[in-house]
Amino acid sequence: MDAADELSLVFQALADPTRRAMISRLSSGSTTVGELAEPFAMSRPAISQHLKVLERAGLVERTVDAQWRRCTLRTEPLDEAAAWVERHRAEWNARFDVLSERLQELKGTTDA
């Protein structure tokens, strides 16, 4: 899978508020699937589906520890998404600066 497709999977995973809440919860350390599911009013199969999306995006890793299933946050995909946003933010800001300058020029010509 190429980097653009991997980035799409990350943004798709982050598009859902439940998955974002799961990532926030995992940012303080790994936890069991049961502990991760506690604050959500949804079925275990629904939690499992959310975890599958996060795993497919590379954001979560699930491991088996005896009878427990543990989830751990993987930050590398988040770092890549943040880097993509930052690269584009600089470009967008430059374009807005040019637009602002042009608007100031146009405003100056209408005041005359």
Side-chain angles (χ1 to χ4, degrees):
M1 182 179 297
D2 74 25
D5 289 339
E6 291 174 12
L7 189 59
S8 293
L9 291 175
V10 172
F11 283 123
Q12 288 169 356
L14 294 174
D16 183 86
T18 299
R19 292 191 289 267
R20 289 193 306 270
M22 289 177 164
I23 288 172
S24 293
R25 187 166 171 130
L26 288 169
S27 68
S28 61
S30 67
T31 186
T32 66
V33 172
E35 292 168 338
L36 186 61
E38 281 175 12
F40 304 105
M42 62 180 63
S43 67
R44 292 294 172 129
I47 293 292
S48 182
Q49 287 299 313
H50 282 295
L51 286 172
K52 285 178 186 175
V53 171
L54 292 169
E55 281 181 299
R56 196 169 33 251
L59 292 165
V60 169
E61 181 175 69
R62 277 196 271 191
T63 56
V64 178
D65 181 19
Q67 75 264 22
W68 306 107
R69 306 269 188 261
R70 295 197 68 78
C71 296
T72 304
L73 179 64
R74 293 187 62 246
T75 59
E76 297 87 355
L78 291 172
D79 295 338
E80 292 168 18
W84 183 89
V85 168
E86 282 305 312
R87 279 193 308 274
H88 287 83
R89 181 193 320 261
E91 180 182 324
W92 299 327
N93 285 338
R95 288 182 182 184
F96 284 130
D97 290 344
V98 169
L99 177 61
S100 179
E101 289 172 14
R102 181 64 181 139
L103 290 173
Q104 289 301 319
E105 289 172 10
L106 290 173
K107 184 179 177 189
T109 60
T110 59
D111 290 341

